[in-house]
Amino acid sequence: MGKVKAGSDQIRLIAAGKALREVSDRSTVAKITVDGKLIDDPEAALRALQDAEAPVSSGDSTFDRLTARFEHGVDKLEGKLQGSTTGRTAMSFIRADPERLQRPAAVEISFTDGSTRKLDVAVTDARLTRTLQRISIVAEGLGLTPLLGIVFLGATALVAGVASLVSLATGDRELARTLGRVSAKHALLGAVAEVPVIGELVPALAISVDVANLKAMRTAPTVASIVNLRALAQGARA
Amino acid sequence: MEVQHGGLIIDVPEGWSDQSTLLFVAPRDSQTAATVAKVAVPTEAVAVRFRGTDGLDAVAVLAEELSGVRAADPDAVELEAGPFSCPLGAGAFRVVRLRVSQAPLVQLTAAVVLGPVCILATASAAEARFPRVRDELLRVLQSMRFS
């Protein structure tokens, strides 16, 4: 189990909120810790979880406009790639959502009757995940450039690989793992960049999937936010 | 995460998005003449779904939805628009005439924004029937409340 990194108080709060949601009677909770650190305000943890589960605005309409044409292309492109082994391999790689950065956290809840409960919780680092998705979209867009695509993707694969090693050296294993996956994805896209037909379809599919993933993070409400609609409304009025 | 709909409960993994649509369809009009019944006349329906606001207010969400409708029917016409309120909160509504599979329909869509989530409820009726059922459909939309 990895450690939640310094500066990730919000992720710690969200992890605590996720664990608290598993408790039916929260009045019995005496203490809650995440990776050994005490969470002072359980209500703040639940609010942080609620905020994290709500869709967020991209705040960048220009980026949205530029990428909108890729949003609905996934099915069509996948249909074209199904017939080739390279295409299917690339598809499974792209579909794995390599940019998603998940932070594991160990939560311990102590109850008023003296019992304790330990839960392993994974929290998506939404901010970094969105940033990585955007970087990938730009890199994959450049990858569509004839002849130079392989150079651009090779460069981004190299940069992501180096960043992965730096993250590993600084102790951020989850970020290192995620950057490693991004590096491998860009390397794969670069490797097929000059292959006729597939070289155009694969980067286009990668962009379409990334745009769809990015949009889903912004516009698709989570099940939890709809189940807790009343709390959402109270939060909106506060 | 436990989700309840009517008498059904389903446990959905943490973090999944809710892209469900609640769809309620009125029974066929029993007074419809036999000859008319042979023609595909759509009956009234109400659909409720959820979407992120992406920073938009209710009026802007409806405008975005209308552009989606116009992608399907470029001749879709807005007939009416204004404020809407129900126990969930205040929002906006819009009435649009469009064609679906050549059938002329009128859709009354209400949007209520609750923080980052927008509740979109759309009531549809055949254009010829809409004036008669408009108030009833509006009452259905205005009945939306918290469980």
Side-chain angles (χ1 to χ4, degrees):
Chain A
M1 175 60 57
K3 196 177 154 196
V4 176
K5 298 294 142 196
S8 295
D9 290 348
Q10 194 66 12
I11 284 175
R12 215 173 280 126
L13 273 177
I14 294 166
K18 280 191 165 188
L20 279 170
R21 195 179 268 165
E22 301 295 316
V23 178
S24 52
D25 183 3
R26 285 178 204 134
S27 66
T28 61
V29 174
K31 192 176 89 170
I32 180 162
T33 61
V34 178
D35 292 326
K37 294 206 163 103
L38 181 68
I39 301 296
D40 297 322
D41 184 357
E43 287 304 315
L46 289 164
R47 281 197 303 275
L49 173 61
Q50 195 181 301
D51 290 346
E53 287 175 333
V56 292
S57 171
S58 70
D60 187 348
S61 55
T62 308
F63 187 83
D64 293 345
R65 275 199 306 275
L66 288 172
T67 56
R69 71 191 179 95
F70 290 101
E71 195 188 319
H72 302 294
V74 177
D75 292 343
K76 204 172 163 187
L77 289 163
E78 283 194 340
K80 288 182 181 174
L81 285 167
Q82 277 294 353
S84 119
T85 309
T86 313
R88 283 196 298 275
T89 309
M91 264 163 44
S92 63
F93 211 87
I94 290 164
R95 275 293 193 188
D97 197 5
E99 289 83 3
R100 184 168 292 271
L101 173 57
Q102 294 236 292
R103 302 284 195 189
V107 184
E108 184 169 326
I109 302 173
S110 304
F111 295 94
T112 47
D113 66 359
S115 63
T116 58
R117 189 172 165 191
K118 290 180 179 175
L119 294 112
D120 291 334
V121 176
V123 178
T124 298
D125 190 327
R127 189 179 56 84
L128 269 174
T129 298
R130 280 197 302 275
T131 302
L132 290 172
Q133 282 170 338
R134 284 167 158 237
I135 290 169
S136 273
I137 290 167
V138 172
E140 289 148 9
L142 293 172
L144 286 169
T145 314
L147 300 174
L148 287 175
I150 189 169
V151 178
F152 287 129
L153 285 163
T156 54
L158 185 65
V159 170
V162 170
S164 170
L165 291 173
V166 171
S167 301
L168 192 62
T170 55
D172 194 339
R173 275 184 297 164
E174 293 81 38
L175 183 57
R177 211 172 289 138
T178 304
L179 286 167
R181 287 196 304 266
V182 172
S183 172
K185 175 180 162 184
H186 289 197
L188 171 80
L189 296 177
V192 300
E194 297 306 317
V195 178
V197 185
I198 289 190
E200 289 171 18
L201 293 177
V202 170
L205 174 67
I207 297 174
S208 298
V209 169
D210 287 344
V211 169
N213 286 341
L214 194 57
K215 175 134 192 196
M217 285 188 80
R218 284 173 23 223
T219 61
T222 59
V223 171
S225 63
I226 303 306
V227 168
N228 299 296
L229 210 50
R230 184 189 291 270
L232 204 64
Q234 283 163 351
R237 285 179 199 131
Chain B
M1 174 60 52
E2 185 180 288
V3 183
Q4 183 169 0
H5 173 61
L8 172 77
I9 293 178
I10 184 168
D11 291 329
V12 180
E14 192 76 40
W16 280 25
S17 65
D18 190 337
Q19 300 188 17
S20 53
T21 300
L22 304 177
L23 179 61
F24 306 98
V25 181
R28 289 242 168 241
D29 190 342
S30 58
Q31 301 303 310
T32 306
T35 49
V36 177
K38 288 175 185 167
V39 182
V41 179
T43 185
E44 288 80 62
V46 170
V48 183
R49 64 188 174 89
F50 312 96
R51 55 159 280 179
T53 60
D54 204 11
L56 304 175
D57 63 12
V59 173
V61 168
L62 286 175
E64 199 174 89
E65 291 291 318
L66 180 58
S67 63
V69 169
R70 285 196 170 129
D73 176 10
D75 298 325
V77 179
E78 180 187 303
L79 303 174
E80 196 184 342
F84 172 84
S85 79
C86 69
L88 295 176
F93 82 95
R94 188 182 289 264
V95 179
V96 175
R97 186 178 63 217
L98 70 157
R99 280 182 176 272
V100 176
S101 303
Q102 297 308 310
L105 277 182
V106 176
Q107 285 189 338
L108 164 58
T109 303
V112 177
V113 169
L114 301 175
V117 172
C118 179
I119 295 152
L120 271 168
T122 300
S124 309
E127 186 180 13
R129 285 177 57 83
F130 186 77
R132 269 184 290 155
V133 297
R134 181 189 185 282
D135 289 349
E136 185 187 6
L137 292 176
L138 187 59
R139 275 197 298 276
V140 173
L141 302 193
Q142 285 171 333
S143 72
M144 289 191 296
R145 56 197 182 272
F146 298 113
S147 58

